[in-house]
mmCIF file of all heavy atoms in Angstrom:
data_model
loop_
_atom_site.group_PDB
_atom_site.id
_atom_site.type_symbol
_atom_site.label_atom_id
_atom_site.label_comp_id
_atom_site.label_asym_id
_atom_site.label_seq_id
_atom_site.Cartn_x
_atom_site.Cartn_y
_atom_site.Cartn_z
ATOM 1 N N GLN D 212 -0.769 -48.451 -24.318
ATOM 2 C CA GLN D 212 -0.960 -49.486 -23.290
ATOM 3 C C GLN D 212 0.212 -49.510 -22.268
ATOM 4 O O GLN D 212 0.014 -49.740 -21.142
ATOM 5 C CB GLN D 212 -1.066 -50.903 -23.867
ATOM 6 C CG GLN D 212 -2.309 -51.112 -24.719
ATOM 7 C CD GLN D 212 -2.152 -52.465 -25.407
ATOM 8 O OE1 GLN D 212 -1.711 -53.431 -24.817
ATOM 9 N NE2 GLN D 212 -2.518 -52.576 -26.734
ATOM 10 N N LEU D 213 1.382 -49.367 -22.765
ATOM 11 C CA LEU D 213 2.597 -49.456 -21.994
ATOM 12 C C LEU D 213 3.235 -48.066 -21.694
ATOM 13 O O LEU D 213 4.352 -47.880 -21.243
ATOM 14 C CB LEU D 213 3.660 -50.312 -22.668
ATOM 15 C CG LEU D 213 3.208 -51.756 -22.975
ATOM 16 C CD1 LEU D 213 4.329 -52.557 -23.594
ATOM 17 C CD2 LEU D 213 2.828 -52.423 -21.623
ATOM 18 N N GLY D 214 2.406 -47.006 -22.029
ATOM 19 C CA GLY D 214 2.914 -45.632 -21.858
ATOM 20 C C GLY D 214 3.057 -44.931 -23.128
ATOM 21 O O GLY D 214 2.679 -45.439 -24.174
ATOM 22 N N ALA D 215 3.657 -43.658 -23.046
ATOM 23 C CA ALA D 215 3.875 -42.926 -24.222
ATOM 24 C C ALA D 215 5.067 -42.029 -24.041
ATOM 25 O O ALA D 215 5.548 -41.817 -22.875
ATOM 26 C CB ALA D 215 2.642 -42.083 -24.489
ATOM 27 N N GLY D 216 5.586 -41.555 -25.128
ATOM 28 C CA GLY D 216 6.682 -40.556 -25.099
ATOM 29 C C GLY D 216 7.922 -41.045 -24.245
ATOM 30 O O GLY D 216 8.413 -42.130 -24.486
ATOM 31 N N GLY D 217 8.403 -40.272 -23.375
ATOM 32 C CA GLY D 217 9.610 -40.607 -22.535
ATOM 33 C C GLY D 217 9.494 -41.868 -21.733
ATOM 34 O O GLY D 217 10.487 -42.556 -21.550
ATOM 35 N N ALA D 218 8.214 -42.223 -21.354
ATOM 36 C CA ALA D 218 8.055 -43.498 -20.642
ATOM 37 C C ALA D 218 8.477 -44.707 -21.505
ATOM 38 O O ALA D 218 9.000 -45.630 -21.046
ATOM 39 C CB ALA D 218 6.588 -43.585 -20.131
ATOM 40 N N LEU D 219 8.074 -44.587 -22.789
ATOM 41 C CA LEU D 219 8.409 -45.663 -23.690
ATOM 42 C C LEU D 219 9.909 -45.742 -23.983
ATOM 43 O O LEU D 219 10.513 -46.846 -24.051
ATOM 44 C CB LEU D 219 7.682 -45.572 -25.039
ATOM 45 C CG LEU D 219 6.198 -45.850 -24.946
ATOM 46 C CD1 LEU D 219 5.528 -45.738 -26.329
ATOM 47 C CD2 LEU D 219 5.927 -47.241 -24.362
ATOM 48 N N VAL D 220 10.514 -44.604 -24.143
ATOM 49 C CA VAL D 220 11.966 -44.540 -24.325
ATOM 50 C C VAL D 220 12.655 -45.207 -23.096
ATOM 51 O O VAL D 220 13.620 -45.953 -23.358
ATOM 52 C CB VAL D 220 12.431 -43.046 -24.538
ATOM 53 C CG1 VAL D 220 13.953 -43.027 -24.801
ATOM 54 C CG2 VAL D 220 11.718 -42.239 -25.555
ATOM 55 N N GLN D 221 12.205 -44.896 -21.968
ATOM 56 C CA GLN D 221 12.810 -45.482 -20.750
ATOM 57 C C GLN D 221 12.712 -46.986 -20.782
ATOM 58 O O GLN D 221 13.615 -47.695 -20.310
ATOM 59 C CB GLN D 221 12.160 -44.814 -19.491
ATOM 60 C CG GLN D 221 12.963 -45.031 -18.187
ATOM 61 C CD GLN D 221 12.434 -44.192 -17.095
ATOM 62 O OE1 GLN D 221 11.328 -43.692 -17.143
ATOM 63 N NE2 GLN D 221 13.261 -43.958 -16.056
ATOM 64 N N LYS D 222 11.644 -47.475 -21.110
ATOM 65 C CA LYS D 222 11.350 -48.906 -21.129
ATOM 66 C C LYS D 222 12.270 -49.611 -22.191
ATOM 67 O O LYS D 222 12.793 -50.713 -21.908
ATOM 68 C CB LYS D 222 9.851 -49.236 -21.457
ATOM 69 C CG LYS D 222 8.870 -49.035 -20.293
ATOM 70 C CD LYS D 222 7.457 -49.445 -20.661
ATOM 71 C CE LYS D 222 6.565 -49.483 -19.392
ATOM 72 N NZ LYS D 222 6.420 -48.197 -18.757
ATOM 73 N N VAL D 223 12.484 -48.989 -23.254
ATOM 74 C CA VAL D 223 13.349 -49.511 -24.327
ATOM 75 C C VAL D 223 14.842 -49.520 -23.791
ATOM 76 O O VAL D 223 15.546 -50.530 -23.834
ATOM 77 C CB VAL D 223 13.360 -48.757 -25.623
ATOM 78 C CG1 VAL D 223 14.433 -49.258 -26.589
ATOM 79 C CG2 VAL D 223 11.938 -48.903 -26.277
ATOM 80 N N GLN D 224 15.237 -48.446 -23.164
ATOM 81 C CA GLN D 224 16.550 -48.339 -22.657
ATOM 82 C C GLN D 224 16.833 -49.377 -21.565
ATOM 83 O O GLN D 224 17.889 -49.956 -21.464
ATOM 84 C CB GLN D 224 16.787 -46.897 -22.113
ATOM 85 C CG GLN D 224 18.232 -46.662 -21.731
ATOM 86 C CD GLN D 224 18.472 -45.210 -21.181
ATOM 87 O OE1 GLN D 224 17.744 -44.777 -20.342
ATOM 88 N NE2 GLN D 224 19.581 -44.581 -21.678
ATOM 89 N N GLY D 225 15.846 -49.579 -20.745
ATOM 90 C CA GLY D 225 15.938 -50.583 -19.601
ATOM 91 C C GLY D 225 15.725 -51.973 -20.042
ATOM 92 O O GLY D 225 16.062 -52.927 -19.263
ATOM 93 N N GLY D 226 15.295 -52.169 -21.260
ATOM 94 C CA GLY D 226 15.126 -53.582 -21.723
ATOM 95 C C GLY D 226 13.808 -54.147 -21.351
ATOM 96 O O GLY D 226 13.589 -55.407 -21.568
ATOM 97 N N THR D 227 12.865 -53.424 -20.814
ATOM 98 C CA THR D 227 11.535 -53.853 -20.390
ATOM 99 C C THR D 227 10.833 -54.364 -21.638
ATOM 100 O O THR D 227 10.082 -55.374 -21.607
ATOM 101 C CB THR D 227 10.773 -52.847 -19.672
ATOM 102 O OG1 THR D 227 11.499 -52.446 -18.514
ATOM 103 C CG2 THR D 227 9.443 -53.424 -19.141
ATOM 104 N N ILE D 228 10.988 -53.556 -22.727
ATOM 105 C CA ILE D 228 10.455 -53.997 -24.053
ATOM 106 C C ILE D 228 11.505 -53.848 -25.076
ATOM 107 O O ILE D 228 12.538 -53.255 -24.802
ATOM 108 C CB ILE D 228 9.273 -53.028 -24.437
ATOM 109 C CG1 ILE D 228 9.659 -51.537 -24.395
ATOM 110 C CG2 ILE D 228 8.025 -53.292 -23.520
ATOM 111 C CD1 ILE D 228 8.589 -50.653 -24.821
ATOM 112 N N GLN D 229 11.324 -54.467 -26.182
ATOM 113 C CA GLN D 229 12.381 -54.472 -27.158
ATOM 114 C C GLN D 229 12.474 -53.210 -28.074
ATOM 115 O O GLN D 229 13.545 -52.811 -28.398
ATOM 116 C CB GLN D 229 12.220 -55.774 -28.087
ATOM 117 C CG GLN D 229 12.605 -57.011 -27.425
ATOM 118 C CD GLN D 229 11.646 -57.451 -26.348
ATOM 119 O OE1 GLN D 229 10.415 -57.547 -26.731
ATOM 120 N NE2 GLN D 229 12.081 -57.837 -25.184
ATOM 121 N N ALA D 230 11.339 -52.666 -28.358
ATOM 122 C CA ALA D 230 11.263 -51.444 -29.276
ATOM 123 C C ALA D 230 10.051 -50.586 -28.959
ATOM 124 O O ALA D 230 9.039 -51.135 -28.421
ATOM 125 C CB ALA D 230 11.376 -51.928 -30.673
ATOM 126 N N ALA D 231 10.085 -49.443 -29.413
ATOM 127 C CA ALA D 231 8.952 -48.420 -29.253
ATOM 128 C C ALA D 231 9.030 -47.287 -30.228
ATOM 129 O O ALA D 231 10.106 -47.001 -30.872
ATOM 130 C CB ALA D 231 8.902 -47.920 -27.878
ATOM 131 N N GLN D 232 7.889 -46.762 -30.490
ATOM 132 C CA GLN D 232 7.789 -45.526 -31.263
ATOM 133 C C GLN D 232 7.638 -44.286 -30.253
ATOM 134 O O GLN D 232 6.948 -44.363 -29.303
ATOM 135 C CB GLN D 232 6.497 -45.578 -32.129
ATOM 136 C CG GLN D 232 5.963 -44.234 -32.576
ATOM 137 C CD GLN D 232 4.976 -43.714 -31.670
ATOM 138 O OE1 GLN D 232 4.155 -44.427 -31.053
ATOM 139 N NE2 GLN D 232 5.018 -42.385 -31.481
ATOM 140 N N HIS D 233 8.338 -43.294 -30.598
ATOM 141 C CA HIS D 233 8.214 -41.982 -29.786
ATOM 142 C C HIS D 233 8.789 -40.911 -30.655
ATOM 143 O O HIS D 233 9.433 -41.085 -31.598
ATOM 144 C CB HIS D 233 9.075 -42.174 -28.465
ATOM 145 C CG HIS D 233 10.376 -42.766 -28.676
ATOM 146 N ND1 HIS D 233 11.405 -42.115 -29.134
ATOM 147 C CD2 HIS D 233 10.771 -44.118 -28.474
ATOM 148 C CE1 HIS D 233 12.465 -42.882 -29.283
ATOM 149 N NE2 HIS D 233 12.126 -44.123 -28.794
ATOM 150 N N SER D 234 8.568 -39.715 -30.202
ATOM 151 C CA SER D 234 8.996 -38.504 -30.956
ATOM 152 C C SER D 234 10.475 -38.228 -30.687
ATOM 153 O O SER D 234 10.984 -38.747 -29.662
ATOM 154 C CB SER D 234 8.257 -37.224 -30.503
ATOM 155 O OG SER D 234 8.609 -36.820 -29.137
ATOM 156 N N LEU D 235 11.127 -37.654 -31.609
ATOM 157 C CA LEU D 235 12.562 -37.315 -31.393
ATOM 158 C C LEU D 235 12.734 -36.289 -30.248
ATOM 159 O O LEU D 235 13.743 -36.274 -29.553
ATOM 160 C CB LEU D 235 13.192 -36.772 -32.669
ATOM 161 C CG LEU D 235 13.472 -37.956 -33.649
ATOM 162 C CD1 LEU D 235 13.826 -37.305 -35.054
ATOM 163 C CD2 LEU D 235 14.588 -38.859 -33.247
ATOM 164 N N SER D 236 11.709 -35.459 -29.993
ATOM 165 C CA SER D 236 11.721 -34.520 -28.851
ATOM 166 C C SER D 236 11.759 -35.316 -27.525
ATOM 167 O O SER D 236 12.503 -34.978 -26.550
ATOM 168 C CB SER D 236 10.573 -33.566 -28.873
ATOM 169 O OG SER D 236 10.631 -32.763 -30.031
ATOM 170 N N ASN D 237 11.013 -36.334 -27.453
ATOM 171 C CA ASN D 237 10.979 -37.245 -26.214
ATOM 172 C C ASN D 237 12.259 -38.160 -26.166
ATOM 173 O O ASN D 237 12.649 -38.530 -25.116
ATOM 174 C CB ASN D 237 9.742 -38.116 -26.242
ATOM 175 C CG ASN D 237 8.449 -37.381 -25.805
ATOM 176 O OD1 ASN D 237 8.544 -36.527 -24.951
ATOM 177 N ND2 ASN D 237 7.437 -37.695 -26.559
ATOM 178 N N PHE D 238 12.888 -38.308 -27.274
ATOM 179 C CA PHE D 238 14.098 -39.107 -27.336
ATOM 180 C C PHE D 238 15.330 -38.244 -26.783
ATOM 181 O O PHE D 238 16.293 -38.754 -26.297
ATOM 182 C CB PHE D 238 14.383 -39.519 -28.832
ATOM 183 C CG PHE D 238 15.284 -40.772 -28.952
ATOM 184 C CD1 PHE D 238 15.487 -41.585 -27.854
ATOM 185 C CD2 PHE D 238 15.841 -41.043 -30.220
ATOM 186 C CE1 PHE D 238 16.325 -42.752 -28.058
ATOM 187 C CE2 PHE D 238 16.579 -42.202 -30.264
ATOM 188 C CZ PHE D 238 16.834 -42.998 -29.235
ATOM 189 N N ALA D 239 15.260 -36.931 -27.112
ATOM 190 C CA ALA D 239 16.335 -36.026 -26.742
ATOM 191 C C ALA D 239 16.881 -36.138 -25.389
ATOM 192 O O ALA D 239 18.203 -36.054 -25.176
ATOM 193 C CB ALA D 239 16.009 -34.582 -27.112
ATOM 194 N N PRO D 240 16.084 -36.268 -24.291
ATOM 195 C CA PRO D 240 16.653 -36.362 -22.953
ATOM 196 C C PRO D 240 17.542 -37.460 -22.731
ATOM 197 O O PRO D 240 18.389 -37.572 -21.828
ATOM 198 C CB PRO D 240 15.433 -36.359 -22.107
ATOM 199 C CG PRO D 240 14.361 -35.662 -22.859
ATOM 200 C CD PRO D 240 14.589 -36.107 -24.267
ATOM 201 N N PHE D 241 17.371 -38.544 -23.558
ATOM 202 C CA PHE D 241 18.169 -39.812 -23.435
ATOM 203 C C PHE D 241 19.328 -39.872 -24.434
ATOM 204 O O PHE D 241 20.304 -40.514 -24.118
ATOM 205 C CB PHE D 241 17.235 -41.054 -23.651
ATOM 206 C CG PHE D 241 16.036 -41.174 -22.692
ATOM 207 C CD1 PHE D 241 14.901 -40.378 -22.962
ATOM 208 C CD2 PHE D 241 16.156 -41.907 -21.606
ATOM 209 C CE1 PHE D 241 13.829 -40.538 -22.061
ATOM 210 C CE2 PHE D 241 15.110 -41.982 -20.725
ATOM 211 C CZ PHE D 241 13.924 -41.284 -20.928
ATOM 212 N N ALA D 242 19.154 -39.179 -25.521
ATOM 213 C CA ALA D 242 20.248 -39.081 -26.559
ATOM 214 C C ALA D 242 20.161 -37.740 -27.135
ATOM 215 O O ALA D 242 19.455 -37.460 -28.220
ATOM 216 C CB ALA D 242 19.938 -40.207 -27.624
ATOM 217 N N SER D 243 20.812 -36.820 -26.513
ATOM 218 C CA SER D 243 20.622 -35.352 -26.827
ATOM 219 C C SER D 243 20.946 -34.908 -28.241
ATOM 220 O O SER D 243 20.329 -34.013 -28.712
ATOM 221 C CB SER D 243 21.385 -34.532 -25.829
ATOM 222 O OG SER D 243 22.788 -34.789 -25.953
ATOM 223 N N THR D 244 21.813 -35.637 -28.870
ATOM 224 C CA THR D 244 22.159 -35.260 -30.224
ATOM 225 C C THR D 244 21.023 -35.149 -31.239
ATOM 226 O O THR D 244 20.925 -34.309 -32.102
ATOM 227 C CB THR D 244 23.261 -36.224 -30.839
ATOM 228 O OG1 THR D 244 24.284 -36.294 -29.838
ATOM 229 C CG2 THR D 244 23.848 -35.707 -32.082
ATOM 230 N N VAL D 245 20.025 -36.034 -31.057
ATOM 231 C CA VAL D 245 18.892 -36.058 -31.964
ATOM 232 C C VAL D 245 18.079 -34.696 -31.907
ATOM 233 O O VAL D 245 17.241 -34.541 -32.759
ATOM 234 C CB VAL D 245 17.946 -37.269 -31.715
ATOM 235 C CG1 VAL D 245 18.717 -38.590 -31.857
ATOM 236 C CG2 VAL D 245 17.261 -37.150 -30.337
ATOM 237 N N ASP D 246 18.261 -33.950 -30.801
ATOM 238 C CA ASP D 246 17.535 -32.663 -30.677
ATOM 239 C C ASP D 246 17.855 -31.695 -31.777
ATOM 240 O O ASP D 246 17.281 -30.667 -32.003
ATOM 241 C CB ASP D 246 17.788 -32.056 -29.382
ATOM 242 C CG ASP D 246 16.573 -31.173 -28.882
ATOM 243 O OD1 ASP D 246 15.491 -31.436 -29.421
ATOM 244 O OD2 ASP D 246 16.773 -30.318 -27.986
ATOM 245 N N LEU D 247 18.948 -32.008 -32.579
ATOM 246 C CA LEU D 247 19.285 -31.210 -33.729
ATOM 247 C C LEU D 247 18.124 -31.053 -34.716
ATOM 248 O O LEU D 247 17.996 -30.116 -35.391
ATOM 249 C CB LEU D 247 20.514 -31.787 -34.473
ATOM 250 C CG LEU D 247 21.874 -31.518 -33.838
ATOM 251 C CD1 LEU D 247 22.860 -32.524 -34.425
ATOM 252 C CD2 LEU D 247 22.309 -30.183 -34.013
ATOM 253 N N ILE D 248 17.311 -32.137 -34.695
ATOM 254 C CA ILE D 248 16.079 -32.105 -35.597
ATOM 255 C C ILE D 248 15.215 -30.928 -35.324
ATOM 256 O O ILE D 248 14.608 -30.398 -36.221
ATOM 257 C CB ILE D 248 15.319 -33.373 -35.304
ATOM 258 C CG1 ILE D 248 16.101 -34.636 -35.784
ATOM 259 C CG2 ILE D 248 13.919 -33.335 -35.961
ATOM 260 C CD1 ILE D 248 16.338 -34.711 -37.243
ATOM 261 N N ASN D 249 15.213 -30.328 -34.129
ATOM 262 C CA ASN D 249 14.288 -29.297 -33.733
ATOM 263 C C ASN D 249 14.949 -27.946 -33.988
ATOM 264 O O ASN D 249 14.293 -26.936 -33.726
ATOM 265 C CB ASN D 249 13.944 -29.385 -32.255
ATOM 266 C CG ASN D 249 12.906 -30.495 -31.938
ATOM 267 O OD1 ASN D 249 11.977 -30.765 -32.771
ATOM 268 N ND2 ASN D 249 13.091 -31.107 -30.827
ATOM 269 N N MET D 250 16.100 -27.887 -34.618
ATOM 270 C CA MET D 250 16.758 -26.674 -34.969
ATOM 271 C C MET D 250 15.909 -26.057 -36.145
ATOM 272 O O MET D 250 15.931 -26.606 -37.220
ATOM 273 C CB MET D 250 18.188 -26.751 -35.225
ATOM 274 C CG MET D 250 18.856 -25.412 -35.356
ATOM 275 S SD MET D 250 20.672 -25.600 -35.218
ATOM 276 C CE MET D 250 20.887 -25.991 -33.455
ATOM 277 N N PRO D 251 15.365 -24.846 -35.929
ATOM 278 C CA PRO D 251 14.446 -24.297 -37.044
ATOM 279 C C PRO D 251 15.049 -24.169 -38.402
ATOM 280 O O PRO D 251 16.152 -23.533 -38.464
ATOM 281 C CB PRO D 251 14.026 -22.922 -36.435
ATOM 282 C CG PRO D 251 14.218 -23.087 -34.895
ATOM 283 C CD PRO D 251 15.414 -23.958 -34.809
ATOM 284 N N TYR D 252 14.410 -24.713 -39.306
ATOM 285 C CA TYR D 252 14.751 -24.570 -40.771
ATOM 286 C C TYR D 252 15.958 -25.434 -41.117
ATOM 287 O O TYR D 252 16.381 -25.386 -42.288
ATOM 288 C CB TYR D 252 14.852 -23.185 -41.255
ATOM 289 C CG TYR D 252 13.440 -22.578 -41.228
ATOM 290 C CD1 TYR D 252 13.110 -21.742 -40.126
ATOM 291 C CD2 TYR D 252 12.466 -22.782 -42.174
ATOM 292 C CE1 TYR D 252 11.847 -21.159 -40.049
ATOM 293 C CE2 TYR D 252 11.260 -22.259 -42.153
ATOM 294 C CZ TYR D 252 10.850 -21.492 -41.008
ATOM 295 O OH TYR D 252 9.648 -20.923 -40.978
ATOM 296 N N LEU D 253 16.566 -26.235 -40.240
ATOM 297 C CA LEU D 253 17.567 -27.123 -40.553
ATOM 298 C C LEU D 253 17.014 -28.297 -41.415
ATOM 299 O O LEU D 253 17.542 -28.604 -42.514
ATOM 300 C CB LEU D 253 18.288 -27.716 -39.339
ATOM 301 C CG LEU D 253 19.290 -28.767 -39.664
ATOM 302 C CD1 LEU D 253 20.506 -28.335 -40.529
ATOM 303 C CD2 LEU D 253 19.826 -29.412 -38.392
ATOM 304 N N CYS D 254 15.831 -28.837 -40.985
ATOM 305 C CA CYS D 254 15.185 -29.891 -41.674
ATOM 306 C C CYS D 254 13.672 -29.870 -41.473
ATOM 307 O O CYS D 254 13.121 -30.926 -41.256
ATOM 308 C CB CYS D 254 15.807 -31.239 -41.322
ATOM 309 S SG CYS D 254 15.645 -31.672 -39.556
#
């Protein structure tokens, strides 16, 4: 209803909404360290 993926991350960061669900891949452009999750066979 309020968007998906990066659009929700942006809304949380800007305080438009208090919280949201999104993938860590979509989170990475805003908090790049979490992209470690996508390193093959690390986790």
Side-chain angles (χ1 to χ4, degrees):
Q212 292 174 44
L213 300 181
L219 289 182
V220 184
Q221 195 168 21
K222 283 182 168 65
V223 172
Q224 188 180 48
T227 306
I228 57 178
Q229 287 71 50
Q232 157 273 323
H233 44 79
S234 73
L235 285 169
S236 295
N237 285 319
F238 204 17
F241 300 84
S243 61
T244 310
V245 300
D246 208 22
L247 284 164
I248 293 294
N249 286 322
M250 191 162 287
Y252 293 98
L253 173 64
C254 59

